[in-house]
Coordinates of all heavy atoms in Angstrom, one line a residue:
M61 N 16.9 -19.6 29.9 CA 16.3 -19.5 28.6 C 17.0 -18.4 27.8 O 17.2 -17.3 28.3 CB 14.8 -19.1 28.7 CG 14.1 -19.0 27.4 SD 12.4 -18.4 27.6 CE 11.7 -19.6 28.7
G62 N 17.5 -18.7 26.6 CA 18.3 -17.8 25.8 C 17.4 -16.9 25.0 O 16.2 -17.0 25.0
L63 N 18.1 -15.9 24.4 CA 17.4 -14.9 23.6 C 16.5 -15.5 22.5 O 15.4 -15.2 22.2 CB 18.4 -13.9 23.0 CG 17.8 -12.8 22.2 CD1 16.8 -12.0 23.0 CD2 18.9 -11.9 21.6
I64 N 17.1 -16.5 21.7 CA 16.4 -17.1 20.6 C 15.1 -17.8 21.0 O 14.1 -17.6 20.4 CB 17.3 -18.0 19.8 CG1 18.4 -17.2 19.1 CG2 16.6 -18.8 18.8 CD1 19.5 -18.0 18.4
S65 N 15.2 -18.6 22.1 CA 14.0 -19.3 22.5 C 13.0 -18.3 23.0 O 11.8 -18.5 22.9 CB 14.3 -20.4 23.5 OG 15.0 -19.8 24.6
S66 N 13.4 -17.2 23.7 CA 12.5 -16.2 24.1 C 11.7 -15.6 22.9 O 10.5 -15.4 23.0 CB 13.2 -15.1 24.9 OG 13.8 -15.6 26.0
M67 N 12.5 -15.3 21.9 CA 11.9 -14.6 20.7 C 10.9 -15.6 20.0 O 9.9 -15.2 19.6 CB 13.0 -14.2 19.7 CG 13.8 -13.0 20.2 SD 15.1 -12.6 19.2 CE 14.3 -12.2 17.7
A68 N 11.3 -16.9 20.0 CA 10.4 -17.8 19.3 C 9.1 -18.0 20.0 O 8.1 -18.3 19.4 CB 11.1 -19.2 19.3
K69 N 9.0 -17.7 21.3 CA 7.8 -17.9 22.0 C 6.9 -16.6 21.9 O 5.7 -16.6 22.3 CB 8.1 -18.2 23.5 CG 8.6 -19.6 23.7 CD 8.8 -19.9 25.2 CE 9.3 -21.3 25.4 NZ 8.5 -22.3 25.1
K70 N 7.5 -15.5 21.4 CA 6.7 -14.3 21.4 C 5.5 -14.4 20.4 O 5.8 -14.8 19.2 CB 7.6 -13.1 21.0 CG 6.8 -11.8 20.9 CD 7.8 -10.7 20.6 CE 7.2 -9.3 20.6 NZ 6.3 -9.2 19.4
E71 N 4.3 -14.2 20.8 CA 3.2 -14.3 19.9 C 3.0 -13.0 19.2 O 3.1 -11.9 19.8 CB 1.9 -14.7 20.7 CG 1.9 -16.1 21.1 CD 0.5 -16.5 21.6 OE1 -0.5 -16.0 21.2 OE2 0.5 -17.4 22.5
R72 N 2.7 -13.0 18.0 CA 2.4 -11.8 17.2 C 1.0 -11.8 16.7 O 0.4 -12.9 16.4 CB 3.3 -11.8 16.0 CG 4.8 -11.8 16.4 CD 5.7 -11.9 15.2 NE 5.7 -10.7 14.4 CZ 6.3 -10.6 13.2 NH1 6.8 -11.6 12.6 NH2 6.2 -9.4 12.6
H73 N 0.4 -10.7 16.8 CA -1.0 -10.5 16.4 C -1.1 -9.4 15.3 O -0.5 -8.4 15.4 CB -1.9 -10.2 17.6 CG -1.9 -11.3 18.6 ND1 -2.6 -12.4 18.5 CD2 -1.2 -11.4 19.8 CE1 -2.4 -13.2 19.5 NE2 -1.6 -12.6 20.3
F74 N -2.0 -9.7 14.4 CA -2.1 -8.7 13.3 C -3.6 -8.4 13.1 O -4.5 -9.2 13.3 CB -1.6 -9.4 12.0 CG -0.2 -9.7 12.0 CD1 0.3 -10.9 12.5 CD2 0.7 -8.7 11.5 CE1 1.7 -11.1 12.5 CE2 2.1 -9.0 11.6 CZ 2.6 -10.2 12.1
R75 N -3.8 -7.1 12.8 CA -5.2 -6.6 12.6 C -5.3 -6.4 11.1 O -4.5 -5.8 10.4 CB -5.4 -5.3 13.3 CG -6.8 -4.7 13.2 CD -7.0 -3.5 14.0 NE -6.2 -2.3 13.5 CZ -5.2 -1.8 14.1 NH1 -4.8 -2.3 15.3 NH2 -4.5 -0.8 13.6
V76 N -6.4 -6.9 10.5 CA -6.7 -6.8 9.1 C -7.9 -5.9 9.0 O -9.0 -6.1 9.6 CB -7.1 -8.2 8.5 CG1 -7.4 -8.0 7.0 CG2 -6.0 -9.2 8.7
E77 N -7.7 -4.8 8.2 CA -8.8 -3.9 8.0 C -9.2 -3.9 6.5 O -8.3 -3.8 5.6 CB -8.4 -2.5 8.4 CG -8.3 -2.4 9.9 CD -8.2 -1.0 10.5 OE1 -8.2 0.0 9.7 OE2 -8.1 -0.9 11.7
I78 N -10.4 -4.0 6.2 CA -10.9 -4.0 4.8 C -11.8 -2.8 4.6 O -12.8 -2.6 5.3 CB -11.7 -5.3 4.6 CG1 -10.8 -6.5 4.8 CG2 -12.3 -5.3 3.1 CD1 -11.6 -7.8 4.8
E79 N -11.4 -2.0 3.7 CA -12.2 -0.7 3.4 C -13.3 -1.1 2.5 O -13.2 -1.2 1.2 CB -11.3 0.3 2.7 CG -11.9 1.6 2.4 CD -12.5 2.3 3.6 OE1 -11.7 2.6 4.5 OE2 -13.7 2.5 3.6
E80 N -14.5 -1.4 3.1 CA -15.6 -2.0 2.3 C -16.1 -1.0 1.2 O -16.7 -1.5 0.2 CB -16.7 -2.4 3.3 CG -16.3 -3.6 4.1 CD -17.5 -4.3 4.8 OE1 -18.5 -3.7 4.9 OE2 -17.3 -5.4 5.3
A81 N -16.0 0.3 1.5 CA -16.5 1.2 0.5 C -15.7 1.1 -0.9 O -16.3 1.4 -1.9 CB -16.3 2.6 1.0
L82 N -14.5 0.6 -0.8 CA -13.7 0.4 -2.0 C -13.8 -1.0 -2.6 O -13.3 -1.3 -3.7 CB -12.2 0.7 -1.7 CG -12.0 2.1 -1.2 CD1 -10.5 2.2 -0.9 CD2 -12.3 3.2 -2.2
C83 N -14.3 -2.0 -1.8 CA -14.3 -3.4 -2.2 C -15.3 -3.7 -3.2 O -16.5 -3.5 -3.0 CB -14.4 -4.2 -0.9 SG -14.6 -6.0 -1.3
K84 N -14.9 -4.4 -4.3 CA -15.9 -4.8 -5.3 C -16.3 -6.3 -5.2 O -17.2 -6.7 -5.8 CB -15.3 -4.6 -6.7 CG -14.1 -5.4 -7.0 CD -13.4 -4.8 -8.3 CE -12.1 -5.5 -8.5 NZ -11.2 -4.7 -9.4
G85 N -15.6 -7.0 -4.3 CA -16.0 -8.4 -4.0 C -15.5 -9.4 -5.0 O -16.1 -10.4 -5.2
C86 N -14.3 -9.1 -5.5 CA -13.7 -10.1 -6.5 C -13.1 -11.3 -5.8 O -12.9 -12.3 -6.4 CB -12.6 -9.4 -7.3 SG -11.2 -8.9 -6.2
L87 N -12.9 -11.2 -4.5 CA -12.4 -12.3 -3.7 C -11.0 -12.8 -4.0 O -10.6 -13.9 -3.7 CB -13.4 -13.5 -3.7 CG -14.8 -13.1 -3.1 CD1 -15.7 -14.3 -3.2 CD2 -14.7 -12.6 -1.7
I88 N -10.2 -12.0 -4.7 CA -8.8 -12.3 -4.9 C -8.1 -12.5 -3.6 O -7.2 -13.4 -3.4 CB -8.1 -11.2 -5.8 CG1 -8.6 -11.3 -7.2 CG2 -6.6 -11.3 -5.7 CD1 -8.1 -10.2 -8.1
C89 N -8.4 -11.6 -2.7 CA -7.8 -11.7 -1.3 C -8.1 -13.1 -0.6 O -7.2 -13.6 0.0 CB -8.3 -10.6 -0.5 SG -10.1 -10.5 -0.3
V90 N -9.3 -13.6 -0.8 CA -9.7 -14.9 -0.2 C -8.8 -16.0 -0.9 O -8.3 -16.8 -0.2 CB -11.2 -15.1 -0.3 CG1 -11.5 -16.5 0.1 CG2 -12.0 -14.1 0.5
Y91 N -8.7 -15.9 -2.2 CA -7.9 -16.9 -2.9 C -6.5 -16.8 -2.4 O -5.8 -17.9 -2.2 CB -8.0 -16.6 -4.4 CG -7.3 -17.6 -5.2 CD1 -7.9 -18.8 -5.6 CD2 -6.0 -17.4 -5.7 CE1 -7.2 -19.8 -6.3 CE2 -5.3 -18.3 -6.4 CZ -5.9 -19.5 -6.8 OH -5.2 -20.4 -7.5
A92 N -5.9 -15.6 -2.3 CA -4.5 -15.4 -1.9 C -4.3 -16.0 -0.5 O -3.3 -16.7 -0.3 CB -4.2 -14.0 -2.0
C93 N -5.2 -15.7 0.4 CA -5.1 -16.1 1.8 C -5.1 -17.6 1.8 O -4.3 -18.2 2.6 CB -6.1 -15.5 2.6 SG -5.9 -15.8 4.4
N94 N -6.0 -18.2 1.1 CA -6.1 -19.7 1.2 C -5.0 -20.4 0.4 O -4.7 -21.6 0.8 CB -7.5 -20.1 0.7 CG -8.5 -19.8 1.8 OD1 -8.7 -20.6 2.7 ND2 -9.2 -18.7 1.7
K95 N -4.4 -19.8 -0.6 CA -3.4 -20.5 -1.4 C -2.0 -20.2 -0.9 O -1.1 -21.0 -1.0 CB -3.4 -20.1 -2.9 CG -4.6 -20.7 -3.6 CD -4.5 -22.2 -3.7 CE -5.7 -22.7 -4.5 NZ -5.8 -24.2 -4.4
L96 N -1.8 -18.9 -0.4 CA -0.5 -18.5 -0.1 C -0.3 -18.1 1.4 O 0.8 -18.0 1.9 CB -0.1 -17.2 -0.9 CG -0.2 -17.4 -2.4 CD1 -0.2 -16.0 -3.1 CD2 0.9 -18.3 -2.9
G97 N -1.4 -17.8 2.0 CA -1.3 -17.2 3.4 C -1.8 -18.2 4.5 O -1.7 -19.4 4.4
G98 N -2.5 -17.6 5.4 CA -2.9 -18.3 6.6 C -4.2 -19.0 6.5 O -4.6 -19.8 7.4
G99 N -4.9 -18.8 5.4 CA -6.2 -19.5 5.1 C -7.3 -19.0 6.1 O -8.2 -19.8 6.4
V100 N -7.3 -17.7 6.4 CA -8.3 -17.2 7.4 C -9.3 -16.3 6.8 O -10.3 -15.9 7.4 CB -7.6 -16.6 8.6 CG1 -6.8 -17.6 9.4 CG2 -6.7 -15.5 8.2
L101 N -9.0 -15.8 5.6 CA -10.0 -15.0 4.9 C -11.1 -15.9 4.3 O -10.7 -16.8 3.6 CB -9.4 -14.0 3.9 CG -8.8 -12.7 4.3 CD1 -8.3 -11.9 3.1 CD2 -9.9 -11.9 5.1
R102 N -12.3 -15.5 4.5 CA -13.4 -16.3 3.9 C -14.4 -15.4 3.1 O -14.4 -14.2 3.3 CB -14.2 -17.0 5.0 CG -13.4 -17.9 5.9 CD -13.5 -19.3 5.2 NE -12.8 -20.3 6.1 CZ -11.5 -20.7 6.0 NH1 -10.8 -20.1 5.0 NH2 -11.0 -21.6 6.8
R103 N -15.2 -16.0 2.3 CA -16.2 -15.3 1.6 C -17.4 -15.1 2.5 O -17.8 -16.1 3.2 CB -16.6 -16.2 0.4 CG -17.7 -15.7 -0.5 CD -17.8 -16.6 -1.7 NE -18.1 -18.0 -1.3 CZ -18.2 -18.9 -2.2 NH1 -18.1 -18.7 -3.5 NH2 -18.4 -20.2 -1.8
S104 N -17.9 -13.9 2.6 CA -19.1 -13.7 3.4 C -20.3 -13.8 2.6 O -20.3 -14.1 1.4 CB -19.0 -12.3 4.0 OG -19.4 -11.3 3.1
E105 N -21.5 -13.6 3.2 CA -22.7 -13.7 2.5 C -23.2 -12.4 2.1 O -24.3 -12.2 1.5 CB -23.8 -14.4 3.4 CG -23.5 -15.8 3.8 CD -23.3 -16.8 2.7 OE1 -24.1 -16.7 1.7 OE2 -22.4 -17.6 2.7
R106 N -22.5 -11.3 2.4 CA -22.9 -10.0 2.1 C -22.4 -9.5 0.8 O -21.3 -9.6 0.4 CB -22.4 -9.0 3.2 CG -23.0 -9.3 4.6 CD -22.6 -8.3 5.6 NE -21.2 -8.2 5.7 CZ -20.5 -7.1 5.4 NH1 -21.1 -6.0 5.0 NH2 -19.2 -7.1 5.6
R107 N -23.3 -8.9 0.0 CA -23.0 -8.5 -1.4 C -22.5 -7.0 -1.4 O -23.0 -6.1 -0.7 CB -24.2 -8.5 -2.3 CG -24.7 -10.0 -2.5 CD -24.9 -10.2 -4.0 NE -25.1 -11.7 -4.2 CZ -24.2 -12.5 -4.7 NH1 -23.1 -12.0 -5.2 NH2 -24.4 -13.8 -4.9
T108 N -21.5 -6.8 -2.3 CA -21.0 -5.5 -2.5 C -21.9 -4.7 -3.4 O -22.8 -5.3 -4.0 CB -19.6 -5.5 -3.1 OG1 -19.7 -6.0 -4.4 CG2 -18.6 -6.4 -2.3
L109 N -21.7 -3.4 -3.6 CA -22.5 -2.7 -4.5 C -22.4 -3.2 -6.0 O -23.4 -3.1 -6.8 CB -22.1 -1.2 -4.5 CG -22.4 -0.5 -3.2 CD1 -21.9 1.0 -3.3 CD2 -23.9 -0.4 -3.0
L110 N -21.3 -3.8 -6.3 CA -21.1 -4.4 -7.7 C -21.6 -5.8 -7.8 O -21.4 -6.4 -8.8 CB -19.6 -4.2 -8.1 CG -19.2 -2.8 -8.3 CD1 -17.7 -2.8 -8.6 CD2 -19.9 -2.1 -9.5
G111 N -22.1 -6.3 -6.7 CA -22.7 -7.7 -6.8 C -21.8 -8.8 -6.4 O -22.2 -10.0 -6.4
G112 N -20.5 -8.5 -6.0 CA -19.6 -9.5 -5.5 C -19.9 -9.8 -4.0 O -20.9 -9.4 -3.5
L113 N -19.0 -10.5 -3.4 CA -19.2 -10.9 -2.0 C -18.0 -10.3 -1.2 O -16.9 -10.5 -1.6 CB -19.3 -12.4 -1.8 CG -20.6 -13.0 -2.4 CD1 -20.4 -14.5 -2.4 CD2 -21.8 -12.6 -1.6
Y114 N -18.4 -9.7 -0.1 CA -17.3 -9.2 0.8 C -16.5 -10.3 1.4 O -17.1 -11.3 1.7 CB -17.9 -8.3 1.9 CG -18.4 -7.0 1.5 CD1 -19.8 -6.7 1.6 CD2 -17.6 -6.0 1.1 CE1 -20.3 -5.5 1.3 CE2 -18.1 -4.7 0.7 CZ -19.4 -4.5 0.8 OH -19.9 -3.3 0.5
P115 N -15.2 -10.1 1.6 CA -14.4 -11.0 2.4 C -14.6 -10.8 3.9 O -15.0 -9.7 4.3 CB -13.0 -10.7 2.0 CG -13.0 -9.2 1.6 CD -14.4 -9.0 1.1
T116 N -14.4 -11.8 4.7 CA -14.5 -11.6 6.1 C -13.4 -12.5 6.8 O -12.9 -13.5 6.2 CB -15.9 -12.0 6.6 OG1 -16.0 -11.7 8.0 CG2 -16.1 -13.5 6.4
L117 N -12.9 -12.1 7.9 CA -11.8 -12.8 8.6 C -12.4 -13.8 9.5 O -13.3 -13.5 10.3 CB -11.0 -11.8 9.4 CG -9.6 -12.2 9.8 CD1 -8.7 -12.4 8.6 CD2 -9.0 -11.2 10.7
A118 N -11.9 -15.0 9.5 CA -12.5 -16.1 10.3 C -11.3 -16.9 11.0 O -11.2 -18.1 10.8 CB -13.3 -17.0 9.5
G119 N -10.5 -16.2 11.7 CA -9.4 -16.8 12.3 C -8.3 -15.8 12.6 O -8.4 -14.6 12.3
E120 N -7.1 -16.3 13.1 CA -6.0 -15.5 13.4 C -5.1 -15.3 12.3 O -4.5 -16.2 11.7 CB -5.2 -16.1 14.6 CG -4.1 -15.3 15.2 CD -4.7 -14.1 16.0 OE1 -5.8 -14.2 16.5 OE2 -3.9 -13.2 16.2
C121 N -5.0 -14.0 11.8 CA -4.1 -13.7 10.7 C -2.6 -13.9 11.1 O -2.2 -13.5 12.2 CB -4.4 -12.2 10.3 SG -3.2 -11.5 9.2
I122 N -1.8 -14.4 10.1 CA -0.4 -14.7 10.4 C 0.5 -13.5 9.9 O 1.7 -13.6 10.0 CB 0.0 -16.0 9.8 CG1 -0.1 -16.0 8.3 CG2 -0.7 -17.2 10.4 CD1 0.6 -17.2 7.6
G123 N -0.1 -12.5 9.2 CA 0.6 -11.4 8.8 C 1.5 -11.5 7.6 O 2.4 -10.8 7.4
C124 N 1.1 -12.4 6.7 CA 1.9 -12.7 5.5 C 1.7 -11.5 4.5 O 2.5 -11.3 3.6 CB 1.6 -14.0 4.9 SG -0.1 -14.1 4.2
R125 N 0.6 -10.8 4.6 CA 0.3 -9.7 3.7 C 0.0 -10.0 2.3 O 0.0 -9.1 1.4 CB 1.4 -8.6 3.8 CG 1.6 -8.1 5.2 CD 2.6 -7.0 5.3 NE 3.0 -6.6 6.6 CZ 2.3 -5.8 7.4 NH1 1.3 -5.2 6.9 NH2 2.7 -5.6 8.6
W126 N -0.3 -11.2 1.9 CA -0.6 -11.5 0.5 C -1.9 -10.9 0.1 O -2.0 -10.4 -1.0 CB -0.7 -13.0 0.3 CG 0.7 -13.7 0.1 CD1 1.3 -14.5 0.9 CD2 1.5 -13.5 -1.0 NE1 2.6 -14.8 0.4 CE2 2.7 -14.2 -0.8 CE3 1.4 -12.7 -2.2 CZ2 3.8 -14.2 -1.7 CZ3 2.5 -12.8 -3.1 CH2 3.6 -13.5 -2.9
C127 N -2.9 -10.8 1.0 CA -4.1 -10.2 0.6 C -3.9 -8.7 0.4 O -4.4 -8.2 -0.6 CB -5.1 -10.4 1.8 SG -4.6 -9.7 3.4
E128 N -3.1 -8.1 1.2 CA -2.8 -6.6 1.1 C -2.1 -6.4 -0.3 O -2.4 -5.4 -1.0 CB -2.0 -6.2 2.2 CG -1.7 -4.7 2.3 CD -0.8 -4.4 3.5 OE1 0.3 -5.0 3.6 OE2 -1.2 -3.7 4.4
R129 N -1.2 -7.2 -0.6 CA -0.4 -7.0 -1.8 C -1.2 -7.2 -3.1 O -1.0 -6.6 -4.1 CB 0.8 -8.0 -1.9 CG 1.9 -7.7 -0.9 CD 3.0 -8.7 -1.0 NE 3.9 -8.6 0.1 CZ 4.5 -9.7 0.7 NH1 4.2 -10.9 0.3 NH2 5.3 -9.5 1.7
L130 N -2.1 -8.2 -3.0 CA -2.8 -8.6 -4.3 C -4.2 -8.0 -4.5 O -4.8 -8.1 -5.6 CB -2.9 -10.1 -4.3 CG -1.6 -10.9 -4.4 CD1 -1.8 -12.4 -4.4 CD2 -0.9 -10.5 -5.7
C131 N -4.7 -7.3 -3.5 CA -6.0 -6.6 -3.7 C -5.8 -5.5 -4.8 O -5.1 -4.6 -4.6 CB -6.5 -6.0 -2.4 SG -8.0 -5.0 -2.8
P132 N -6.5 -5.6 -5.9 CA -6.3 -4.7 -7.0 C -6.8 -3.3 -6.6 O -6.4 -2.3 -7.3 CB -7.2 -5.3 -8.1 CG -8.1 -6.2 -7.5 CD -7.5 -6.7 -6.3
D133 N -7.6 -3.2 -5.6 CA -8.2 -1.9 -5.3 C -7.7 -1.3 -4.0 O -8.2 -0.3 -3.5 CB -9.7 -2.0 -5.2 CG -10.3 -2.3 -6.6 OD1 -10.2 -1.5 -7.5 OD2 -10.8 -3.5 -6.7
L134 N -6.6 -1.9 -3.5 CA -5.9 -1.4 -2.3 C -6.9 -1.2 -1.1 O -6.8 -0.2 -0.4 CB -5.2 -0.1 -2.6 CG -4.2 -0.1 -3.8 CD1 -3.6 1.3 -4.0 CD2 -3.1 -1.2 -3.6
C135 N -7.8 -2.2 -0.9 CA -8.8 -2.1 0.1 C -8.3 -2.6 1.5 O -8.9 -2.3 2.5 CB -10.0 -3.0 -0.2 SG -10.7 -2.7 -1.8
I136 N -7.2 -3.4 1.5 CA -6.8 -4.1 2.7 C -5.5 -3.5 3.3 O -4.5 -3.3 2.6 CB -6.6 -5.6 2.4 CG1 -7.9 -6.2 1.8 CG2 -6.2 -6.4 3.6 CD1 -7.8 -7.7 1.5
S137 N -5.5 -3.4 4.6 CA -4.3 -3.0 5.3 C -4.1 -4.0 6.5 O -5.1 -4.4 7.1 CB -4.3 -1.6 5.8 OG -5.4 -1.4 6.8
V138 N -2.9 -4.5 6.6 CA -2.5 -5.4 7.7 C -1.5 -4.7 8.6 O -0.5 -4.3 8.1 CB -2.0 -6.7 7.1 CG1 -1.6 -7.7 8.2 CG2 -2.9 -7.3 6.1
E139 N -1.9 -4.6 9.9 CA -1.0 -4.0 10.8 C -0.7 -4.9 12.0 O -1.6 -5.6 12.5 CB -1.6 -2.7 11.4 CG -2.0 -1.7 10.3 CD -0.8 -1.0 9.7 OE1 0.3 -1.1 10.3 OE2 -0.9 -0.5 8.6
E140 N 0.5 -4.9 12.5 CA 0.9 -5.7 13.7 C 0.4 -4.9 14.9 O 0.6 -3.7 15.0 CB 2.3 -6.0 13.7 CG 2.7 -6.9 14.9 CD 4.0 -7.6 14.8 OE1 4.8 -7.2 13.9 OE2 4.3 -8.5 15.6
E141 N -0.2 -5.6 15.8 CA -0.8 -4.9 17.0 C 0.3 -5.0 18.1 O 1.1 -5.8 18.2 CB -2.0 -5.6 17.5 CG -3.2 -5.5 16.4 CD -4.5 -6.1 16.9 OE1 -4.4 -7.2 17.4 OE2 -5.5 -5.4 16.8
Ligands
SF4_314 S1 -9.3 -8.4 -3.3 FE1 -9.9 -6.3 -2.6 S2 -11.6 -5.8 -4.0 FE2 -11.3 -8.0 -4.1 S3 -12.7 -8.8 -2.5 FE3 -10.7 -8.6 -1.6 S4 -10.8 -6.6 -0.6 FE4 -12.4 -6.7 -2.1
SF4_315 S1 -2.1 -11.2 5.9 FE1 -2.0 -13.3 5.1 S2 -3.0 -14.6 6.7 FE2 -3.6 -12.4 7.1 S3 -5.6 -12.2 6.1 FE3 -4.0 -11.5 4.6 S4 -3.4 -13.3 3.4 FE4 -4.6 -14.0 5.2

């Protein structure tokens, strides 16, 4: 097995953290994840202080970071584990 095939098999895992105290619930991150990313961020049923809905992760993040880039309030951080 060569180096390239070994690298291709390496699984990568990403941790997504959402700072809920800063989140207003606009769901731009959910839209970004579903249109541009891995489609794993979902709308939760829990309301933010401003009446929006918190995002929640429902699957394995692929680490594209669109949610992190597009959150207007810088609530999201994506780190490789
Ligand atoms: S984009 Fe940011 S502020 Fe909007 S719901 Fe997502 S985490 Fe919250
Ligand atoms: S990094 Fe990409 S796949 Fe992961 S939650 Fe954010 S938008 Fe979705």
